[in-house]
Amino acid sequence: MRFSIFHNLGAPGRLGEYPDVMAEAREFAVTADRAGFWSTWYTEHHFGHEAIEITPNPVLMGADIAARTTDIRIGQAASIATFWHPLRLAEDIAMLDQLSGGRVEVGLGRGLYGREALNLNALADPRDQEQNRALYDETVEVLRKAWSGEFFSHRGRFYEFPAPGVKWNHPLSPATPEYTEAGVITKMQVTPFPLQRPHPPLWQVIDSPRSIKAAAADGVQGLFWLPPVSALKERFELYRDTASQAAGREYALGEGIGLVRDVYVADTMEQARAEFEEALMTTYRWIMHWRGLGNLMEAGEELTDAHELSFDFLQRRNLLVGTPEYVSEKIAELRDEVGCEHLLLWTTHPGLPHRNAMRSLELFAEKVMPRFTTGGGHG
C-alpha cells in the first residue's frame, strides 16, 4: 500500500498567526517525506475568515513544500478547476512540476461553496450543477491541450483560444503557418509544459455514480473520503468496471483510487479520542452543514431523522482513530474489503495542537506503516 498525507489547513483563532501555521505545515510535510510517505495533498478554499479551511492556493503551497522536501510527491486535493482560468492553471501546475523535479499529482474538483464560486467565477455557481459540470469538463479539456507541448486551438461553450483576430508581426518570432494564418494568430502554445509527459497524473474528487463513471471512463484517478466500507465497495466496483471497459483491460478493485481517512494514533483508545475528538468534530460540523449525512450511510441504509452527527456515529463508520493495533486492523479491512491501495491520512483537523499531530504521524510511521510495507514508501 501507499500512504500519503491530506492536509487541509485549519487554525481557528490563529489567522493572525499564519506564519506559525505555515511553519507547522512545513514541519509536518518534511517529517512525512523523511518517513517515506508517498505524497502530500493540499486543499483550495477561499474567504475563510473562520479559519477552518485556509489554503487558497494548493499550487503555491505545493511549491513551498517541494522546495523543502526530496522525494514526497505533491498533490492538490483539490485545485478547484472551475475557479481558475484554464490557461493560468495549466501554466502554474506545469511550473510546479518543473520546480519539483516531476513530483506533481494533479487533483481537481468542481467546487462546493457558493460564497467561493460566485466571487471567483460566477459560471461555477454550484446551484447550477449542469453548467458547473460542463465548465469543469471544458477546463480539463483545455488543460490537456495546453500540457501537450504542441500548438493548439480550442473553441468551446465557455472559452475560445487563441482569442480571434489578434495579428502578429515580430521579427524575432516569424508568423509561421504553425500558429498563424494571413498574419493572424490561430494557434497557441503554453510554456513551460510539465516535466512529466504527456502530463502529471490526473485525479478528481468524486463520489456520485455520475462523477465516478465520468472519471473512470476518462482515465482520471479518483479521490474518495466519507463513505463507510460497505458503501465504498459499491463505488470502487463501479470505478473498476467503468475503467476496465474504457481501458480495454481488467482493473483490480481499488486500482486508480485514493481514499482519504481521518486518522489519529495514540497509545490508548481513550487518549486518541480525548485528543482528537474536538478538532475532528469541528471539521465535520463545518462540512456536513452543506453535505448532510447521506454520504456516511452504509450500503442500503436510508438516512433518517434519527441519525445524528457524533464521534460515536463516525467511529463505527469511517474513522481510523485509536491505538496502532486498532488503526492497523481498520486499514487491513479496507485493503481486504475494497482493495484499498492508496490511503491518505487526514490528521491536521482545525484546533488540533501541532505536537499532537506530529506525535500521531510519528506513531503511524513507526508502528503502522511497517505492517503494510509493500509499496508503503515513495515507491
Side-chain angles (χ1 to χ4, degrees):
M1 289 184 70
R2 291 179 293 175
F3 295 102
S4 296
I5 301 299
F6 174 83
H7 204 144
N8 185 2
L9 271 69
R14 297 185 65 197
L15 277 178
E17 302 171 11
Y18 205 74
D20 295 334
V21 176
M22 291 291 97
E24 292 170 0
R26 290 164 181 150
E27 184 182 12
F28 202 81
V30 168
T31 302
D33 182 40
R34 292 172 178 166
F37 282 82
W38 186 72
S39 59
T40 183
W41 303 69
Y42 297 96
T43 59
E44 177 178 349
H45 286 289
H46 301 270
F47 320 125
H49 66 270
E50 305 87 358
I52 292 176
E53 296 174 307
I54 50 174
T55 320
N57 191 325
V59 179
L60 190 58
M61 186 75 194
D64 182 272
I65 297 303
R68 301 166 191 275
T69 54
T70 303
D71 298 305
I72 199 165
R73 296 185 65 78
I74 310 295
Q76 308 92 47
S79 285
I80 307 305
T82 56
F83 295 174
W84 288 71
H85 188 285
L87 298 182
R88 171 62 77 185
L89 184 58
E91 290 175 337
D92 286 2
I93 289 177
M95 276 292 294
L96 178 59
D97 202 44
Q98 291 286 345
L99 291 169
S100 67
R103 286 191 276 150
V104 169
E105 301 285 320
V106 179
L108 301 172
R110 295 193 296 115
L112 173 66
Y113 303 153
R115 77 172 178 186
E116 297 182 346
L118 292 170
N119 288 292
L120 290 168
N121 184 0
L123 295 172
D125 187 345
R127 295 172 298 184
D128 187 339
Q129 282 290 297
E130 290 305 311
Q131 179 168 286
N132 181 285
R133 287 180 184 273
L135 177 62
Y136 175 86
D137 290 342
E138 187 171 338
T139 300
V140 175
E141 181 183 352
V142 174
L143 291 176
R144 284 176 156 148
K145 288 180 177 180
W147 288 331
S148 70
E150 306 293 332
F151 286 98
F152 73 94
S153 61
H154 174 84
R155 179 174 294 179
R157 172 179 169 184
F158 303 101
Y159 300 107
E160 182 177 358
F161 306 120
V166 178
K167 294 183 178 181
W168 187 254
N169 179 22
H170 196 291
L172 296 182
S173 178
T176 65
E178 222 175 5
Y179 68 101
T180 62
E181 292 182 11
V184 174
I185 297 174
T186 55
K187 291 186 177 181
M188 62 190 302
Q189 185 182 63
V190 168
T191 56
F193 44 83
L195 184 60
Q196 299 177 86
R197 308 302 300 144
H199 54 72
L202 291 178
W203 300 76
Q204 183 181 352
V205 178
I206 53 178
D207 183 74
S208 70
R210 180 175 175 179
S211 294
I212 293 169
K213 292 174 71 174
D218 200 27
V220 176
Q221 298 172 97
L223 291 170
F224 292 84
W225 171 35
L226 288 170
V229 172
S230 64
L232 276 179
K233 192 165 188 178
E234 298 174 345
R235 291 163 167 85
F236 278 39
E237 288 173 344
L238 178 59
Y239 184 94
R240 176 199 61 193
D241 295 344
T242 307
S244 297
Q245 183 176 5
R249 68 169 181 85
E250 193 63 31
Y251 267 59
L253 187 65
E255 181 181 352
I257 292 173
L259 176 64
V260 178
R261 278 295 192 246
D262 308 290
V263 178
Y264 191 81
V265 186
D267 294 325
T268 69
M269 296 295 291
E270 294 77 15
Q271 179 187 359
R273 176 168 183 167
E275 293 177 353
F276 195 54
E277 181 173 2
E278 183 179 354
L280 175 80
M281 295 310 298
T282 295
T283 289
Y284 272 83
R285 292 187 186 106
W286 175 258
I287 294 177
M288 294 306 113
H289 174 81
W290 286 281
R291 289 181 179 266
L293 300 181
N295 283 5
L296 289 159
M297 297 298 103
E298 300 281 357
E301 182 183 15
E302 295 292 329
L303 178 64
T304 69
D305 292 339
H307 289 103
E308 291 186 6
L309 180 63
S310 68
F311 184 90
D312 291 324
F313 170 83
L314 295 171
Q315 176 76 327
R316 61 179 178 266
R317 292 170 185 265
N318 71 349
L319 301 185
L320 278 63
V321 178
T323 63
E325 293 73 22
Y326 177 83
V327 171
S328 296
E329 289 173 5
K330 301 300 286 186
I331 294 173
E333 179 187 17
L334 288 167
R335 180 196 59 196
D336 297 342
E337 293 294 323
V338 299
C340 180
E341 63 176 32
H342 184 194
L343 184 68
L344 289 75
L345 285 63
W346 187 359
T347 298
T348 51
H349 286 276
L352 182 70
H354 178 61
R355 64 182 182 279
N356 291 1
M358 290 295 296
R359 179 58 180 156
S360 175
L361 181 68
E362 291 163 1
L363 281 172
F364 189 95
E366 293 169 5
K367 297 188 177 183
V368 178
M369 277 177 64
R371 305 180 189 212
F372 305 90
T373 54
T374 304
H378 294 296

